Amino acid sequence: MKKYICIAAMLGCAIAHAQQVQEGSIDEVNILGRKKIKQERAEFKRHGQSVETLSEEDLNRNNPAAIDQTLSTMPGLQVDKRTNFGGQRLVLRGYGNDQKFNNWGVKAYWNNMPLTNAEGVTVLDDVDFAYVTNVEVIKGPAATMYGGGVGGAVRFYTRPDFTKGASISENAMFGAFKTFQSRTQLNVADENYSVSAAYGHLETDGYRPNGGGLKNFFNVNGTVKLGKKDQLSFFASQAYSYEHTSGQISYDDYYAGIDNGNPAYIRKNSGTKIKSTRVGLSNMVSLTSNLRNYTTLFYYNANTESVSAGAYGVTSSPNVGLRSTFTLKNEFKDFENRLDFGAEIQNSVSTTSSYRFTGSETEPLQTTGMSGASYFKYNNNQSTYFVIDYLTYKPWGLTLLAGISANRTNYDRTDLYALPGLIAGRKDQSFNKKYDMAYTPHFALQKEWKHQIFNLSYSEGYNSPTAASSFITATNMTNDDLKPERARMFDFSVHGLLLNTKLDYRISAFRIDYSDKLTQLVIPNSPIPGQTYWANTGSQKNTGLEFSIGYQYRSENSFIERVVPFVNLSYYDAKYKSFTTIVGGKEDSYNHQNVVGVPRNKYALGLDIYTKQGFYLLNTYNYLGQVYTNFNNKNLVKGFGLLNAKLGYKKTFGKFDVDLYVMGNNLTNQINYTFLFLGNNINDSDKGSNYSVPTDLNPGPNKSYFFYGANLKYRF
């Protein structure tokens, strides 16, 4: 793979040297291809590494709330989930799949507000994806711009609509698993402001036993132009999410198409309730003719109540911070210079309590009492300071990007159950941990030639351990030997337009080296079975090739108005190197083994047809290759492909917009999964599960299922 990157880079440099005059910048091109392309190319240039986007049209290929199905069609991105519409796990270029819960190591944003908290953990259950209109995915280490996280970044947006006037819309969908979803939205806009308010509701019985879910959202989003060079934006969200948990099943049941759920979860009516509030206030202002600032203040708080197979937990996690970026632009003769510099600062003061279950089948919610309980108060801080310079030689369309960020993380935990005399024999589990300042550079060389953009980049990532993993409960001591993960990536990417800009393509070849890989290990001879700790177990190398191509055919004189086919392909070669675990005094080396959970290939095919009369047909086939689940590569899980389609009618009648549709998922009845336990998380066996074998898999629906919907909009 390394030689392919070198060959591609030399080809790009040769083209850049040969081309002396740039033939039309991207801003001047009237792109005739897919709707997402102009923004995607602009973000590719700004980030100086592989970037892909999804437009509102892309997000509506399927149910927007099922964000896993839509995002997983992108090359380089895989989205797992543990429940119907929650427990999502983002996996970018093979990184991010070694967590049982939530996300760690991949940064997420919504309208410039971090969804990732000060501890580096991302929860997506309470995000109203039906209110999202645009997604950007930055692949690979992007710490120079976004701070902690070695996997990359995913940015969700709700864009303002400045179409003059007022409108009200009602979207409703119902179908399989007694699912009902609705959204009522009001938009009011003029040339100087845009405000929208939406209420969303989602309920389902789910396709699994005890698999129901309920979500309610209220969102307000607006932008006001205070002047020609001054813009104020605000965002507020109130959310309630209750996702029931069915638990994992065995591989034997999975391949047999049997899903009775896991009794250890079902007896307890397991699930996760989240009540959250999110508020953001942004200001974009031109301070001078060449200096601009974009600052966002944000606040988030979630009250979470969870029941799992092993414990009952309650968490309150307020998170507050700011992200501010200054942009300074200058031009001199044939050169243009852009300097971005700023900071992102977060603080989280949370409390969390946990009470272990005994595993009793007759009294499922019986706990082990206060002796096995915990109640902690955390004060977590994360800060990133960055500077990025873009120097462009305009006659050649050649840009050099150079940037660096400084990242700091520290935790302070107080054990609220460690008061003298409160619990007999209680050991104080308070601790504080401060990780050294980490510096992450990014260098890129970009060349524009006709409608092609070539980019050769080197970037680094940094991922500090979480507060919980920085302490070893069994030994009652801070995990002082634990070091942050680091990542180094070489990436050569091309984003191009051909056939009069109707055809778009992206090619990326990359190599990512992860060092000090963080792995969860089981503590030998622990008085509490299954108790774990975190350790740096070595390194791994992920190399890959990503390719995507799309085309938009338009006709003004036929029944067919538009035909939009696309192909997305990912090829990976991910291997461990110098990767060793020590469990029970036994040392096991997994050098040159395949990285768990990373398929050799994944691809997506699409064919969309739109007619002048308003009828449309959207077809998507998404394939995920086979993966290993254990470090020694003994357990191989078969790959699968899912065929989805959406048939609809969309038309405007005067002031009314109408969209009627039927969606079918898994049309070929394929056995598939939505979540795997991997690495040292395998061999899961909960007390009272009634399984005599490990349960490491969450299955998806193995039969075709359908939804029916209507979207109505009236413009005043």
Side-chain angles (χ1 to χ4, degrees):
M1 178 57 64
K2 189 174 181 180
K3 67 179 181 180
Y4 296 129
I5 296 177
C6 293
I7 292 172
M10 288 189 291
L11 175 62
C13 291
I15 294 173
H17 180 72
Q19 180 68 18
Q20 299 296 311
V21 180
Q22 187 181 1
E23 300 183 21
S25 69
I26 182 62
D27 294 331
E28 299 168 349
V29 174
N30 181 24
I31 297 176
L32 302 177
R34 294 187 290 171
K35 293 182 178 181
K36 68 172 190 168
I37 298 305
K38 188 169 184 177
Q39 180 201 348
E40 187 171 83
R41 289 168 67 88
E43 293 302 324
F44 178 46
K45 291 174 62 178
R46 184 169 75 91
H47 287 90
Q49 66 187 89
S50 182
V51 175
E52 293 208 31
T53 67
L54 292 173
S55 66
E56 188 170 13
E57 183 174 274
D58 298 319
L59 292 171
N60 285 317
R61 302 184 61 79
N62 210 298
N63 180 3
I67 196 68
D68 53 294
Q69 297 193 28
T70 305
L71 289 181
S72 291
T73 62
M74 304 176 75
L77 178 60
Q78 176 185 334
V79 183
D80 305 325
K81 63 175 184 177
R82 291 194 65 174
T83 61
N84 278 283
F85 299 102
Q88 294 94 344
R89 181 172 66 181
L90 302 173
V91 184
L92 271 171
R93 288 186 166 176
Y95 181 88
N97 59 14
D98 50 3
Q99 303 297 308
K100 279 188 179 182
F101 311 100
N102 307 318
N103 293 267
W104 177 27
V106 175
K107 201 79 177 281
Y109 290 82
W110 192 1
N111 278 18
N112 210 45
M113 299 176 293
L115 296 174
T116 305
N117 64 22
E119 192 181 1
V121 175
T122 306
V123 177
L124 298 176
D125 290 51
D126 58 342
V127 174
D128 185 4
F129 291 111
Y131 195 54
V132 171
T133 58
N134 175 231
V135 181
E136 297 172 5
V137 178
I138 300 93
K139 304 176 191 176
T144 304
M145 190 171 290
Y146 299 113
V150 300
V154 179
R155 299 176 62 93
F156 302 99
Y157 292 95
T158 300
R159 304 284 190 185
D161 182 1
F162 283 96
T163 303
K164 190 174 181 178
S167 66
I168 187 169
S169 61
E170 180 67 38
N171 299 348
M173 187 196 74
F174 65 94
F177 322 122
K178 296 183 180 179
T179 299
F180 175 72
Q181 182 177 351
S182 68
R183 180 160 60 95
T184 304
Q185 183 165 329
L186 174 66
N187 294 293
V188 180
D190 204 338
E191 59 183 12
N192 292 320
Y193 66 86
S194 172
V195 179
S196 71
Y199 170 74
H201 173 80
L202 172 62
E203 62 179 87
T204 182
D205 282 357
Y207 61 91
R208 304 191 63 198
N210 191 55
L214 173 65
K215 293 180 186 287
N216 289 303
F217 302 101
F218 180 71
N219 303 297
V220 177
N221 184 54
T223 297
V224 178
K225 296 179 181 178
L226 303 177
K228 291 183 178 180
K229 300 180 180 180
D230 194 356
Q231 179 174 290
L232 184 69
S233 299
F234 55 89
F235 180 91
S237 174
Q238 185 76 35
Y240 173 81
S241 171
Y242 186 16
E243 289 282 330
H244 287 269
T245 307
S246 306
Q248 301 75 240
I249 63 173
S250 69
Y251 282 103
D252 288 340
D253 279 0
Y254 168 66
Y255 287 120
I258 299 171
D259 181 15
N260 296 319
N262 189 315
Y265 288 82
I266 294 174
R267 285 193 196 97
K268 300 178 180 68
N269 193 29
S270 295
T272 301
K273 294 180 183 179
I274 301 177
K275 296 179 181 179
S276 68
T277 301
R278 191 184 310 274
V279 179
L281 183 64
S282 301
N283 180 237
M284 183 182 295
V285 58
S286 295
L287 303 173
T288 67
S289 60
N290 62 342
L291 178 62
R292 184 182 64 186
N293 175 254
Y294 183 26
T295 296
T296 299
L297 304 175
F298 54 86
Y299 167 82
Y300 171 76
N301 183 47
N303 293 309
T304 304
E305 181 181 0
S306 63
V307 177
S308 65
Y312 168 75
V314 177
T315 300
S316 176
S317 53
N319 193 79
V320 63
L322 69 86
R323 180 176 176 86
S324 183
T325 304
F326 290 86
T327 299
L328 178 65
K329 291 184 178 181
N330 286 294
E331 292 190 29
F332 44 97
K333 293 185 179 180
D334 293 329
F335 290 90
E336 179 181 273
N337 184 255
R338 168 178 167 167
L339 180 68
D340 289 351
F341 59 95
E344 180 179 301
I345 301 171
Q346 293 193 72
N347 170 255
S348 176
V349 181
S350 61
T351 56
T352 179
S353 58
S354 179
Y355 306 88
R356 304 292 304 177
F357 293 130
T358 61
S360 169
E361 295 186 16
T362 56
E363 295 185 60
L365 298 180
Q366 183 185 67
T367 69
T368 59
M370 295 295 288
S371 60
S374 64
Y375 185 22
F376 300 125
K377 180 179 180 180
Y378 289 93
N379 187 351
N380 304 326
N381 293 278
Q382 173 268 328
S383 58
T384 298
Y385 307 91
F386 57 89
V387 57
I388 307 170
D389 188 72
Y390 306 78
L391 180 62
T392 301
Y393 183 60
K394 292 186 288 185
W396 289 7
L398 191 65
T399 299
L400 174 65
L401 180 155
I404 191 168
S405 70
N407 310 278
R408 186 188 295 278
T409 306
N410 65 274
Y411 308 123
D412 190 341
R413 185 173 82 178
T414 302
D415 188 345
L416 300 179
Y417 278 167
L419 295 173
L422 182 62
I423 301 176
R426 175 78 180 190
K427 294 181 180 179
D428 191 350
Q429 297 181 24
S430 302
F431 80 97
N432 60 75
K433 179 77 172 179
K434 183 177 182 180
Y435 291 95
D436 294 335
M437 185 76 79
Y439 298 93
T440 53
H442 184 181
F443 302 98
L445 184 64
Q446 289 184 355
K447 167 64 184 176
E448 288 188 70
W449 175 69
K450 295 185 177 179
H451 296 154
Q452 327 311 316
I453 306 172
F454 301 85
N455 188 92
L456 176 64
S457 68
Y458 169 81
S459 62
E460 293 189 7
Y462 162 86
N463 186 36
S464 62
T466 64
S469 61
S470 298
F471 188 85
I472 305 175
T473 303
T475 59
N476 198 51
M477 60 186 297
T478 306
N479 197 343
D480 290 323
D481 294 331
L482 203 61
K483 296 181 289 186
E485 281 183 340
R486 300 298 296 258
R488 296 170 175 83
M489 179 178 74
F490 289 95
D491 179 287
F492 179 73
S493 299
V494 182
H495 195 304
L497 298 172
L498 299 172
L499 302 180
N500 195 27
T501 73
K502 295 178 182 178
L503 184 146
D504 63 270
Y505 70 92
R506 282 153 302 285
I507 303 173
S508 293
F510 66 88
R511 168 174 171 163
I512 309 175
D513 289 282
Y514 300 97
S515 58
D516 295 319
K517 190 76 178 67
L518 290 164
T519 305
Q520 192 174 23
L521 303 176
V522 177
I523 298 175
N525 305 317
S526 172
I528 302 177
Q531 202 165 23
T532 62
Y533 74 105
W534 287 83
N536 299 105
T537 49
S539 59
Q540 70 183 58
K541 179 185 69 174
N542 290 14
T543 58
L545 180 67
E546 296 163 355
F547 173 76
S548 59
I549 185 171
Y551 180 79
Q552 180 161 260
Y553 165 80
R554 287 181 179 272
S555 175
E556 298 181 358
N557 303 309
S558 67
F559 175 75
I560 303 296
E561 181 181 50
R562 284 195 297 147
V563 178
V564 187
F566 68 83
V567 177
N568 298 330
L569 172 66
S570 305
Y571 171 83
Y572 303 114
D573 182 17
K575 292 287 196 332
Y576 294 114
K577 60 177 187 176
S578 303
F579 191 89
T580 303
T581 65
I582 301 176
V583 179
K586 181 185 177 184
E587 181 176 308
D588 291 308
S589 177
Y590 301 105
N591 298 344
H592 310 301
Q593 298 284 7
N594 292 291
V595 175
V596 296
V598 182
R600 179 69 69 176
N601 55 73
K602 68 181 288 285
Y603 59 84
L605 310 174
L607 178 62
D608 303 342
I609 302 172
Y610 301 86
T611 71
K612 276 189 166 53
Q613 287 71 23
F615 295 100
Y616 61 86
L617 176 63
L618 314 178
N619 303 280
T620 309
Y621 180 76
N622 198 15
Y623 176 80
L624 181 69
Q626 59 188 17
V627 300
Y628 291 102
T629 63
N630 48 3
F631 291 137
N632 60 14
N633 291 175
K634 298 293 185 182
N635 185 44
L636 183 65
V637 183
K638 296 178 182 178
F640 58 87
L642 299 178
L643 176 63
N644 299 336
K646 182 178 182 180
L647 175 65
Y649 174 76
K650 189 174 184 179
K651 199 74 173 177
T652 297
F653 300 95
K655 294 184 177 182
F656 282 96
D657 295 338
V658 178
D659 183 8
L660 308 174
Y661 62 85
V662 55
M663 290 190 299
N665 292 339
N666 193 13
L667 296 177
T668 56
N669 301 322
Q670 297 297 302
I671 290 177
N672 65 96
Y673 60 82
T674 64
F675 200 98
L676 297 178
F677 281 8
L678 303 167
N680 256 57
N681 292 321
I682 63 170
N683 298 325
D684 187 77
S685 182
D686 294 300
K687 219 173 191 183
S689 70
N690 294 352
Y691 276 100
S692 59
V693 294
T695 53
D696 290 335
L697 180 145
N698 286 52
N702 57 21
K703 301 293 183 183
S704 59
Y705 55 102
F706 297 86
F707 298 107
Y708 311 89
N711 300 334
L712 306 176
K713 184 176 183 178
Y714 179 77
R715 290 171 280 107
F716 295 95

